[in-house]
């Protein structure tokens, strides 16, 4: 019998969110009989993060409506959850971690699932301004909801026009706010989508009464008696009683750095999520090798956190799993559902496929020469499913037929034989 199935073994997981929690349950499922201890600095029972900027923000729900697993589920699987505890140090030689209260916890296998944290940009006056929030935790949502309920003018400025900024804009608009999004680049979502998609989302927000302004580099904030004056490099300024900062994340790699793991835009891991002897890393904090794109990538997505969690659990239990997923992601804004599959980085051509009918329904297909790299599908699950299949199988597609709305939207009709 493998040593990993011994009851005496201890697996310690740092970070109890999508990656850490899924890992713990997968490890049990794979047959690990030893202790599994999950640590997280967040004192709240682990919850789903995607709804934080979407339905959860606009609801009055308590966090227990949004949990990854019930408290009983951890008990039932013999998973020890230690919340409100920060791990500050790892000793790789002694094989223990040091808890914030000074206690030591030994491990046989260590899993880093430390994720990422919001960037606080160096904007003059940001720290002194009132009602400034990032959005990563349940507590952030509680504070934003509270500020919204007590704000008289509900004037919100969102710094950053990425997915989190835009979803938050749509949600706060729904709660009755007057919202302005300030984006530094010349278009929103510039890093992740084609200009056509940026244009679509700019118009979508405008038609819902949200002001989206680009080329707006926020340089300082002046706190006034009842509001903040948000000032941009082009000398324009915007009043806000609530400011949301959504300009990206820093990866939590300090612990990994401390113990000399290889770091390059995240903790470097192999296809089995292994970072070093007896140490694995999973989720947003990793840079992992993706065989399909033949390069190391770092993803911020639930799917990747769950996939890597399963891979690491299987590997620890002596299976030979290999990470070979095509990344996918989604975003909900107003009544629009965007589903994205693949990675469009390096695309040379973006083709638009529109469907007939009254409902907004289209997709953008990203190619590098003949190779399909990624698909962004708006209210179009079929395009998302087809795109996934084509990318996975490296199918060559008839691009003329693809953009013809009268050609059949089926594999047989689109594939080049
Ligand atoms: C508002 C919002 C909306 C999102 N929407 C989507 C979406 O629509 N679709 C999608 O796929 N993804 C979405 N994401 C991204 C998704 O939530 C992340 O990819 C996912 O949470 C990654 O999980 P993770 O476990 O790797 O990291 P995280 O969720 O970042 O969790 C890491 C955990 O580690 C803990 N931790 C870190 N360091 C320590 C330490 N030293 N000691 C103790 N604990 C520590 C942290 O407290 C945290 O709980 C969204 C994220 C946010 C914030």
């Amino acid at each position: 019998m493998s040593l990993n199935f011994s009851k005496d073994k201890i697996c310690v997981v740092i970070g109890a969110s999508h990656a850490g929690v899924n890992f713990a349950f997968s490890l049990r499922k794979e047959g690990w009989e030893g202790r599994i201890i999950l640590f997280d600095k967040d004192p709240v029972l682990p919850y789903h993060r995607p709804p934080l900027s979407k339905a959860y923000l606009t609801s009055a729900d308590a966090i227990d409506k949004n949990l990854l697993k019930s408290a009983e589920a951890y008990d039932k699987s013999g998973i020890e959850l230690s919340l409100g505890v920060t791990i500050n140090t790892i000793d790789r030689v002694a094989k223990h971690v040091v808890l914030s209260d000074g206690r030591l916890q030994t491990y046989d296998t260590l899993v880093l699932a430390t994720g990422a944290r919001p960037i606080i940009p160096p904007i003059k006056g940001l720290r002194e301004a009132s009602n400034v929030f990032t959005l990563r935790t349940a507590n952030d949502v509680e504070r934003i909801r509270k500020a919204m309920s007590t704000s008289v003018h509900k004037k919100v400025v969102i710094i950053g026009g990425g997915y989190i900024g835009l979803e938050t804009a749509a949600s706060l608009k729904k709660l009755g706010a007057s919202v302005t999004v300030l984006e530094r680049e010349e278009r929103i979502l510039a890093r992740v989508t084609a200009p056509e998609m940026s244009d679509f989302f700019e118009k979508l927000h405008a038609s819902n009464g949200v002001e989206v302004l680009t080329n707006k580099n926020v340089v300082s904030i002046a706190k006034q008696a009842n509001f903040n004056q948000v000032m941009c490099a082009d000398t324009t300024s915007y009043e806000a009683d609530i400011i949301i900062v959504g300009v990206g994340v820093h990866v939590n790699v300090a612990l990994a750095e401390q113990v000399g793991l290889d770091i390059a835009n995240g903790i470097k891991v192999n296809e089995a999520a292994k970072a070093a002897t007896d140490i694995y890393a999973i989720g947003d904090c990793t840079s992992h090798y993706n065989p399909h794109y033949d390069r190391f990538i770092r993803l911020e997505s639930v799917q990747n956190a769950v996939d890597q969690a399963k891979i690491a659990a299987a590997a620890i239990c002596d299976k030979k799993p290999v990470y070979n997923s095509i990344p996918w992601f989604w975003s909900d804004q107003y009544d629009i559902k965007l589903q994205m599959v693949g990675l469009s980085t390096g695309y040379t051509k973006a083709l638009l496929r529109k469907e007939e009918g009254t409902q907004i329904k289209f997709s953008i297909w990203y190619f590098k020469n003949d190779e399909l790299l990624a698909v962004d599908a708006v209210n179009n699950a079929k395009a998302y499913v087809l795109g996934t299949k084509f990318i996975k199988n490296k199918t060559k597609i008839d691009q003329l037929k693809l953009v013809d709305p009268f050609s059949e939207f089926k594999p047989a009709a689109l594939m080049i034989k």
Side-chain angles (χ1 to χ4, degrees):
M1 192 174 78
S2 156
L3 275 181
N4 283 340
F5 294 94
S6 153
K7 283 196 166 62
D8 303 331
K9 294 279 170 180
I10 302 174
C11 180
V12 162
V13 186
I14 308 176
S17 180
H18 288 277
V21 168
N22 279 286
F23 166 79
F25 283 86
S26 298
L27 189 67
R28 209 37 109 212
K29 215 162 144 193
E30 291 288 353
W32 176 274
E33 292 194 354
R35 289 178 69 191
I36 303 172
I37 311 172
L38 274 173
F39 290 107
D40 204 297
K41 62 173 93 163
D42 194 331
V44 179
L45 214 52
Y47 47 85
H48 292 274
R49 283 198 206 280
L52 296 185
S53 49
K54 308 178 182 81
Y56 184 69
L57 178 56
T58 56
S59 76
D61 288 348
I63 199 64
D64 55 7
K65 289 262 171 66
N66 190 33
L67 298 179
L68 288 174
K69 300 274 181 187
S70 66
E72 299 76 52
Y74 295 93
D75 283 348
K76 218 169 138 192
S77 293
I79 294 164
E80 300 167 50
L81 200 49
S82 199
L83 300 175
V85 177
T86 304
I87 304 298
N88 291 319
T89 312
I90 302 168
D91 187 328
R92 257 177 97 176
V93 180
K95 290 184 87 170
H96 67 228
V97 297
V98 185
L99 283 54
S100 31
D101 63 7
R103 279 180 299 144
L104 305 183
Q105 174 59 59
T106 57
Y107 67 81
D108 296 287
T109 304
L110 179 66
V111 177
L112 300 172
T114 48
R117 64 187 186 283
I119 292 174
I120 308 294
I123 294 170
K124 200 172 147 221
L126 183 68
R127 286 180 192 277
E128 295 76 27
S130 50
N131 283 340
V132 179
F133 306 100
T134 51
L135 212 177
R136 183 92 193 168
T137 66
N139 185 248
D140 292 336
V141 174
E142 257 172 49
R143 293 170 62 232
I144 294 169
R145 280 183 188 167
K146 194 166 167 209
M148 278 293 291
S149 70
T150 53
S151 157
V152 180
H153 302 294
K154 297 192 186 351
K155 274 193 163 186
V156 177
V157 163
I158 297 182
I159 305 175
Y163 287 118
I164 290 183
L166 295 176
E167 287 176 359
T168 307
S171 296
L172 294 185
K173 184 75 201 170
K174 200 171 164 188
L175 291 181
S178 134
V179 185
T180 301
V181 177
L182 301 176
E183 166 56 51
R184 190 178 56 181
E185 302 300 320
E186 62 181 22
R187 62 184 176 93
I188 54 172
L189 302 171
R191 242 178 358 105
V192 284
T193 57
E196 292 83 349
M197 196 58 90
S198 301
D199 193 44
F200 169 75
F201 276 102
E202 270 190 51
K203 289 187 175 130
L204 175 72
H205 280 275
S207 68
N208 280 281
V210 166
E211 189 178 30
V212 175
L213 302 171
T214 53
N215 292 308
K216 292 290 176 189
N217 185 15
V218 176
V219 287
S220 66
I221 296 170
K223 187 174 186 292
Q224 312 288 344
N226 298 316
F227 65 94
N228 304 294
Q229 197 76 39
V230 180
M231 279 164 299
C232 297
D234 63 4
T235 71
T236 54
S237 72
Y238 304 87
E239 277 181 19
D241 38 22
I242 296 174
I243 298 172
I244 312 280
V245 180
V247 297
V249 294
H250 286 302
V251 191
N252 290 326
V253 292
L255 286 172
E257 256 166 356
Q258 201 187 84
V259 291
L261 298 184
D262 202 1
I263 316 276
N265 183 28
I267 306 165
K268 264 190 140 176
V269 293
N270 68 12
E271 290 113 295
K274 192 167 185 171
T277 307
D278 298 327
I279 304 183
Y280 291 75
I282 53 179
D284 279 17
C285 67
T286 68
S287 168
H288 60 272
Y289 179 71
N290 183 300
H292 185 87
Y293 292 98
D294 189 24
R295 63 173 194 267
F296 277 83
I297 54 179
R298 194 182 70 76
L299 298 171
E300 289 163 25
S301 84
V302 167
Q303 169 240 355
N304 174 59
V306 174
D307 286 349
Q308 282 194 303
K310 288 184 185 157
I311 293 280
I316 290 167
C317 292
D318 297 341
K319 315 274 166 65
K320 297 259 174 297
V322 171
Y323 184 100
N324 197 7
S325 305
I326 307 295
W328 58 265
F329 190 82
W330 75 94
S331 179
D332 301 331
Q333 294 167 48
Y334 311 103
D335 53 356
I336 294 296
K337 180 150 204 83
L338 170 66
Q339 292 168 292
M340 295 149 275
V341 58
L343 296 174
S344 60
T345 320
Y347 75 91
T348 51
K349 199 188 311 176
L351 298 180
L352 175 67
R353 159 100 193 187
K354 272 190 180 157
E355 307 307 326
E356 291 290 284
T358 47
Q359 199 211 359
I360 297 170
K361 193 172 182 184
F362 68 94
S363 48
I364 293 182
W365 297 63
Y366 298 85
F367 290 88
K368 187 173 184 182
N369 306 318
D370 285 345
E371 187 192 350
L372 178 64
L373 295 180
V375 178
D376 292 348
V378 169
N379 292 342
N380 195 341
K382 196 168 173 189
Y384 166 75
V385 172
L386 273 182
T388 307
K389 204 170 184 169
F390 289 157
I391 296 168
K392 223 174 221 163
N393 299 331
K394 296 192 185 267
T395 309
K396 293 276 175 275
I397 300 165
D398 186 325
Q399 298 182 1
L400 285 176
K401 283 189 184 155
L402 176 69
V403 295
D404 175 2
F406 299 104
S407 74
E408 274 197 299
F409 205 35
K410 285 187 175 156
L414 297 174
M415 280 162 60
I416 297 176
K417 278 130 201 154

